[in-house]
Structures are given as structure tokens and as C-alpha cells.
Amino acid sequence: MSNNVEVDPGGAFLTLNTGGALHRFHAIWLRDNALDPDTRSPGNGQRLIAIGDIPSDTSISAAQIADGNVSITFSPDGKTVAFPVAWLLENTYDHVGTASMLLPDCASSWDATLPVPSFDFQAAAENSQVRRNWLATIRRFGFARMTGGRAEPGALFDVVGLFGFVRETNYGRHFEVRTEVNPTNLAFTSLGLQAHTDNPYRDPVPTLQLLYCLENSATGGDSIVVDGFAAALRLRDEDPKGFALLSGYPARFEYRGSDGVILRSRRPMIELSPDGQLQSIRFNNRSAAPVTDVPFDKMDAYYCAYRRFAAIIDDPALGLSFKLAPGESFIVDNTRVMHARKGYSGMGSRWLQGCYADKDGLLSTLAALEEQTLNAAE
């Protein structure tokens, strides 16, 4: 069945028919997203016009399809623009409304049965396909382990350098995770830690965290990761009202760990986009401040939901456990995946270095690698 286009009698929109599937596009949307060099810079694709530059009475006066492109003429300015059919299908918005909550694109939820996804550092550094698969795995599951690195201080920067840049905080470019006599943070002790996201008191939070092992001869100290999205989905299924409370009211977080540093944030534990898509999880009992934004008559129910969410997060069926060896590391999407640590003994040693990075750098590198792969296949 061939493709064809039909213009609404008033010119307000056109309908693209691709093998019986119908896709409608408004005139104003098409004009705003025109791909011609007067509308978008050929060098970087950035838009060269503002919405106010488009006539408010823009309509479609003619449209035809040929050679895989839809040619559209707009009124009243008479401008003609060509859109590849493939581009229109990639950006179609004429579809049935989504469910009340969805996972983000390319994300998959998981539990303790997931095999730990692991990649070799040297292979990722030398082979773009391995690097692409590593980054795509982090995008999909929110974490991945890396093996085969140097067991030397500062080697964590080699890993970050494969996709982006370190985000420096009051902890510095990196921080040490090992027992300290007078720690500024409970992470720097031998105590076990509940699954948590890091730095919920920041706005925005560091979106990626990397932990890199230099020594690990102590008994215990296994790393644990928990998919916060899977925990949120389970809470929604078991207690929809509780889910609505945790996503509908902000929690508060605070850090006062050193002189001159007071960090605060006010965000929900479960954050949704306006259309109900999961955006982020903020969960950290150690950094929780008093909740003051929940109405009096809902506070009891809020705490019941909080308790249930914590119990789900602590459920061993969700926690994936592994022990890092020297030269191994793992990255977590700190807006989604919580990490924990089993307690460890005073015998032997456990020394990790950690740092933060930004997810947009990872996703940018991944998009460029995917585009390279696509172009190579054409």
C-alpha cells in the first residue's frame, strides 16, 4: 500500500497515510519544525526563528508526497518545505493517550534475578561498539559494572573520560570511601548502608555516580543496587493511594556535614512528569529533613506509604548484590538506581574512590555512537 497525504479542507492540518496508518500534523507544528536552512542552522540544527516570527494564521495550502518526502506549502507566506516521511514518522505525536505512568524511553525495570551487566574497560576504551553497548546498558537498567581497570588512585577518571566529565561538589572532584576516625558522612565508616540515592539535598542532584574499587580484602562490604523505578511500580500496584501521596507531595532533604556547607532540597521521593512518566527517585533516610508540606489530615497516610516504599526497597528480591575487586567499578543513574553496602569487618581493608558525573554527557556520547552505527549501516 503506497503512502499519501491529504490536507484538511481548512488547511489546519494534514494527514499522512503510511500503509493504512494515519498520522496527523498541525500546520503550526510543521511550520515551526521546518527543516530548511532559513528555519534551522545547517551547521548545528538550532532553530533560527522564534514562534512570534510565524504568522498566527499559518495554514497548509498544498501538500504532495514523492521520493520519500512530503512537500508542504504554507499560507500566507507561501513558503514550501520538504519533510522526509521517515522524519515525520519518527516525530509523530498523533497517538492514543499513554497510561497513567510509564517508564522512560529505553528503560527496563529489573530485580535481583538480573545478571550483573559487566563490561571490560580496555574493550570499551578501544572499541566504539563495546562503549556504545555499555552506555546503552546504563541507559536501560540505570547501572553497569566495569572490570579490567587500573587498581590505582585516580583511575576512576579514566572511566568517566569515556563519556563525559566529572561534576565537582563540596566533596571535591572525587571522594574516598573507607573507614575514617571522624567521618563527615556515614558512607565513610564500616557500617552497612540502606539502599539510597546520593545527595538528595542538592538541586539538581548529581545524575551519575561512579564507585571505583582499589582495595577490598575485608569480609563483607558487598555492593547492592536496587531499581527505584521497579520499587515505585510495585508501590503503585500494591498501594495506589500511597503512591499518589509520595509522588504528590514534596519531601525535604538537608546536609550540614562541614563548615560553610548547608544544602537543602524540596522534591517528591517519587517524581513524575506532567503526563505521569517516572522521572526520578529521591530516597535517603540519612539525609531526610522534617516533612512539612503534607497536610495534617494526610500525614499518617503519607508515613504509611513511606514505610511501605522503604520495605519494598529493602526487599532482598529487588536488591542485586556483587563484590567489587580492585580495578572494578560500577556506575549508577543516581536519579533512579539506589545503591547500598553490606557492613564489613575491621580485618583487611576496603577502599573505594567515588565521583559524580552528569547523565546528559553519557546520553550525548551514546547518541553520537548510535548515529555513527546507523550511518555506517546505510
Side-chain angles (χ1 to χ4, degrees):
M1 186 179 295
S2 61
N3 300 336
N4 61 76
V5 292
E6 181 178 339
V7 178
D8 166 66
F13 64 89
L14 67 75
T15 301
L16 171 64
N17 185 334
T18 56
L22 304 181
H23 308 271
R24 294 171 296 178
F25 299 90
H26 289 91
I28 186 63
W29 185 94
L30 291 162
R31 180 63 188 89
D32 185 44
N33 289 285
L35 304 174
D36 66 294
D38 293 329
T39 305
R40 288 186 178 272
S41 169
N44 56 36
Q46 290 190 315
R47 190 177 277 104
L48 300 173
I49 63 171
I51 188 64
D53 296 326
I54 302 174
S56 60
D57 57 347
T58 291
S59 63
I60 301 170
S61 57
Q64 59 182 4
I65 187 169
D67 301 324
N69 291 288
V70 178
S71 179
I72 302 170
T73 300
F74 296 97
S75 177
D77 57 9
K79 187 177 185 64
T80 299
V81 178
F83 291 89
V85 170
W87 186 92
L88 290 171
L89 295 179
E90 182 180 349
N91 292 280
T92 185
Y93 57 91
D94 186 16
H95 44 70
V96 178
T98 57
S100 59
M101 183 176 72
L102 298 173
L103 288 171
D105 292 342
C106 302
S108 298
S109 61
W110 49 270
D111 58 21
T113 63
L114 177 73
V116 177
S118 299
F119 297 83
D120 179 74
F121 171 78
Q122 205 61 39
E126 298 175 355
N127 187 305
S128 61
Q129 183 174 346
V130 175
R131 187 159 64 254
R132 182 200 66 198
N133 292 341
W134 170 56
L135 299 178
T137 297
I138 297 172
R139 178 180 63 185
R140 180 181 178 188
F141 297 122
F143 87 102
R145 179 171 61 181
M146 180 161 275
T147 62
R150 297 183 295 117
E152 301 174 12
L156 74 172
F157 300 133
D158 298 341
V159 179
V160 176
L162 294 178
F163 65 81
F165 306 93
V166 170
R167 173 175 168 181
E168 188 167 352
T169 70
N170 58 292
Y171 297 121
R173 291 195 75 230
H174 80 284
F175 49 89
E176 310 290 344
V177 183
R178 55 182 172 185
T179 302
E180 295 181 1
V181 177
N182 294 304
T184 59
N185 192 303
L186 287 179
F188 308 148
T189 71
S190 60
L191 298 174
L193 296 176
Q194 184 186 35
H196 62 281
T197 59
D198 251 36
N199 291 200
Y201 39 76
R202 297 187 194 277
D203 216 343
V205 299
T207 47
L208 294 175
Q209 180 178 10
L210 170 68
L211 289 170
Y212 197 103
C213 180
L214 298 175
E215 298 175 9
N216 205 2
S217 59
T219 301
D222 291 16
S223 299
I224 303 170
V225 288
V226 178
D227 184 4
F229 285 176
L233 289 169
R234 181 167 156 187
L235 178 66
R236 183 196 62 169
D237 292 342
E238 294 181 3
D239 182 9
K241 292 182 179 179
F243 175 87
L245 287 168
L246 295 190
S247 60
Y249 290 99
R252 290 180 181 253
F253 302 92
E254 182 174 317
Y255 174 77
R256 293 173 175 260
S258 56
D259 291 342
V261 178
I262 300 177
L263 297 164
R264 298 186 180 108
S265 72
R266 176 181 177 271
R267 291 292 184 92
M269 290 188 200
I270 302 172
E271 190 167 0
L272 307 178
S273 67
D275 62 353
Q277 186 179 83
L278 277 165
Q279 293 293 288
S280 67
I281 303 295
R282 291 194 189 210
F283 186 88
N284 189 319
N285 181 70
R286 290 173 291 130
S287 301
V291 177
T292 58
D293 300 283
V294 177
F296 178 87
D297 60 353
K298 294 185 178 180
M299 188 64 81
D300 279 342
Y302 181 90
Y303 263 89
C304 285
Y306 180 12
R307 184 186 298 274
R308 183 58 196 146
F309 191 42
I312 292 172
I313 290 168
D314 289 341
D315 186 345
L318 264 64
L320 185 57
S321 177
F322 54 91
K323 186 165 184 173
L324 294 176
E328 295 185 347
S329 61
F330 71 99
I331 288 179
V332 293
D333 177 345
N334 192 49
T335 67
R336 169 186 177 182
V337 172
M338 291 164 283
H339 62 284
R341 180 188 69 212
K342 294 181 180 179
Y344 58 98
S345 72
M347 303 299 294
S349 61
R350 186 181 189 272
W351 178 20
L352 276 64
Q353 288 187 324
C355 68
Y356 300 115
D358 290 316
K359 191 164 57 173
D360 61 350
L362 183 152
L363 295 177
S364 172
T365 300
L366 175 57
L369 290 170
E370 289 177 332
E371 188 170 273
Q372 291 175 12
T373 301
L374 184 63
N375 292 339
E378 292 179 350

